[in-house]
């Protein structure tokens, strides 16, 4: 069995010959897949209504569909919790091995740009959609979340089974398995190659586990070459462990002593200032004795972002130090506080302002997500869990704001639309974070209820159905779980007390 190369990559997504379209016998599109070894197709099990399908080499063109059949011992059916859901099919005719995908099982970090080719309704010939990797999610944390990028097509229904292309390497790092089903959804999930290998170890033959290359930071090297003393460049890097933050650190290593990375996340202005003095030899209030560029990671994740800008970054720029201010997201109020004797500018090339109609769809997606979050939170009955904030209605606030922006003169509209896009992105991020927390709380509460009921049955089987010690503990545990708002830590403690008591009573007879 041969191995493909996956060498085509950035700027040449259309040339990926491993892209497959899976069809039923009547020609209807079932989903997507990836060609492996010139003779196998990898896809999601749930897209296959039967064990035999037609495989169309959409990435090559000019070829008739090829029959393919699921290999008996290479099927991981979709489990009730969403796990599994993988199938390897054997093609009836071999294809050139060089057309095959190369899988990559390297470490995945948030923010890596990826793309997938799927077949949503109305697009039988398929289309690309771009996204960024997020973090582990899904059943047993087997998946990786895929967040939509600011502009362009989004992953949605019809992309199941599509290989997820890492744009920096050209390798396939996962398979699209699910998406958030609200209209205009902006979140999907993939099974990373590491998970796929656990279900289908045979795929190791086409897998490379070398580290993925750094991602590109468009415009940063140009900015560094052209920067003048006192310039401040603004760069979105995502979280401190993101792919873009790693790329920034790698660039600093390549530049040597002329650039110093400062990790600002969680630190006070005084702590950041001390770190700059130690690592770069620069002090606020003292003229710089050498030219060095500061690359700050996580300005908006520092303890006091605006104070950091006013007390440290701006004074250093006044003294002639060039600074790259790295932000998790470009919606921090501290951005407005940046001042420089040189120029404060974005490091990255300016993007075209988003279209109003795309913002309408994204606000609709935000509204649907917020409605789901409010339902999980507790709705009109009040909070289901203590310690989680009431979800705000960001979508309701953004709709009239966008309407006002659309009525502005064209010259003023662009910056306002870009600002609206940032607000929508921030709303989606915040709502997704709260939804994930609520889901985790709900699932843990469900687990606690299941444990309590299982141990109650065990007690009954040992003649302890109306035990005077166990019954009050059982009622206390359920009272804690049914309380509104539920304090999860108290529920955990009450359930564990009941479980320990059951074990003790059963053991002691």
């Amino acid at each position: 069995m041969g191995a493909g190369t996956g060498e085509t990559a950035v700027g040449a997504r259309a040339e990926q010959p491993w892209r497959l379209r899976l069809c039923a016998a009547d020609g209807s599109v079932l989903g997507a897949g990836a060609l492996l070894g010139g003779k196998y197709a990898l896809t999601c099990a749930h897209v296959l209504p039967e064990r035999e399908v037609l495989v169309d080499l959409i990435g090559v063109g000019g070829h008739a569909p090829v029959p393919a059949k699921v290999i008996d011992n290479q099927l991981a059916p979709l489990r009730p919790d969403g796990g599994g859901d993988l199938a390897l099919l054997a093609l009836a005719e071999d294809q050139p091995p060089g057309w095959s995908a190369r899988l990559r099982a390297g470490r995945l970090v948030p923010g890596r740009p990826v793309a997938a080719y799927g077949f949503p309704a109305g697009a039988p010939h398929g289309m690309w959609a771009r996204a960024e990797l997020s973090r582990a999610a899904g059943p047993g944390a087997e998946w990786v979340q895929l967040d939509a990028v600011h502009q362009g097509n989004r992953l949605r229904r019809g992309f199941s089974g599509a290989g997820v292309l890492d744009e920096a390497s050209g390798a396939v790092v996962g398979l699209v398995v699910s998406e958030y089903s609200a209209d205009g959804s902006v979140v999907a999930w993939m099974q990373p190659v590491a998970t796929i290998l656990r279900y289908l170890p045979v795929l190791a033959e086409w897998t490379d586990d070398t580290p993925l290359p750094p991602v590109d930071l468009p415009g940063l090297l140009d900015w560094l070459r052209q920067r003048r003393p006192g310039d401040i460049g603004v760069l979105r890097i995502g979280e401190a462990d993101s792919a873009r933050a790693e790329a920034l650190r790698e660039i600093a290593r390549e530049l040597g002593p002329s650039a110093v990375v400062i990790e600002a996340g969680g630190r006070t202005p005084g702590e950041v200032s001390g770190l700059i003095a130690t690592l770069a030899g620069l002090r606020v209030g003292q003229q710089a004795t050498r030219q060095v560029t500061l690359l700050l990671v996580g300005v908006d994740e520092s303890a006091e972002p605006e104070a950091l800008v006013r007390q440290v970054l701006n004074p250093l720029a006044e003294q002639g130090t060039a600074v790259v201010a790295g932000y998790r997201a470009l919606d921090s109020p501290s951005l407005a506080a940046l001042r420089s004797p040189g120029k404060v500018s974005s490091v990255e090339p300016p993007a075209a302002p988003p279209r109003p109609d795309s913002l309408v769809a994204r606000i609709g997606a935000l509204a649907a997500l917020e409605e789901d979050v409010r339902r999980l939170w507790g709705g009109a009955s009040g909070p289901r869990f203590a310690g989680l904030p009431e979800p705000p209605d960001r979508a309701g606030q953004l709709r009239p704001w966008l309407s006002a922006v659309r009525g502005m003169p064209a010259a003023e509209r662009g910056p306002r639309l870009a600002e609206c896009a940032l607000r929508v992105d921030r709303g989606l991020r915040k709502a997704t974070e709260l939804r994930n927390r609520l889901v985790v709380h709900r699932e843990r509460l469900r687990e606690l209820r299941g444990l309590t009921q299982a141990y109650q049955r065990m007690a009954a089987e040992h003649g302890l159905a109306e035990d005077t010690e166990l019954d009050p503990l059982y009622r206390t545990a359920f009272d804690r779980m049914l309380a509104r708002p539920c304090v999860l830590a108290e529920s955990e403690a009450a359930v564990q007390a009941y479980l320990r008591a059951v074990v003790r009573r059963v053991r002691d007879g």
Side-chain angles (χ1 to χ4, degrees), residues 232-253:
I232 297 179
V234 177
L235 177 66
R236 182 186 69 86
I237 59 170
E239 298 174 70
D241 62 346
S242 72
R244 292 169 68 88
E246 287 191 351
L248 184 68
R249 297 183 187 102
E250 180 61 29
I251 288 174
R253 282 191 288 270

Side-chain angles (χ1 to χ4, degrees), residues 373-379 382-385 388-391 438 484:
V373 172
R374 279 190 289 274
R375 177 183 60 79
L376 291 169
W377 182 80
R384 184 68 187 88
F385 297 101
L388 296 180
E390 183 175 1
L438 285 163
R484 293 189 74 111

Side-chain angles (χ1 to χ4, degrees), residues 138-208:
E142 288 187 343
W143 300 350
V144 171
Q145 184 169 306
L146 302 171
D147 293 337
V149 295
H150 297 313
Q151 299 183 34
N153 190 25
R154 287 154 171 32
L155 295 167
R156 56 191 186 276
R157 189 177 301 278
F159 280 80
S160 291
V164 178
L165 174 73
D166 176 68
E167 294 198 335
S169 67
V172 171
V173 294
L175 211 66
V176 178
V177 291
S178 184
E179 41 74 41
Y180 183 65
S181 58
D183 290 341
S185 63
V186 293
V187 178
W189 294 269
M190 74 170 191
Q191 286 211 35
V193 170
T195 296
I196 295 172
L197 288 174
R198 288 201 293 270
Y199 287 106
L200 304 176
V202 70
L203 302 186
E205 181 171 354
W206 302 287
T207 302
D208 182 356

Side-chain angles (χ1 to χ4, degrees), residues 320-339:
T321 300
V323 177
V324 173
Y327 281 76
R328 176 182 179 182
L330 299 181
D331 55 8
S332 171
S334 65
L335 283 164
L338 288 168
R339 298 287 185 273

Side-chain angles (χ1 to χ4, degrees), residues 55 99 108 124 135 187 206 221 285 368-369 438:
V55 172
W99 289 357
L108 302 177
R135 297 189 180 277
V187 178
W206 302 287
L221 291 178
L369 177 57
L438 285 163

Side-chain angles (χ1 to χ4, degrees), residues 23-40:
C23 300
D26 62 1
S28 58
V29 178
L30 301 173
L35 180 67
L36 296 175
K39 58 179 69 176
Y40 303 102

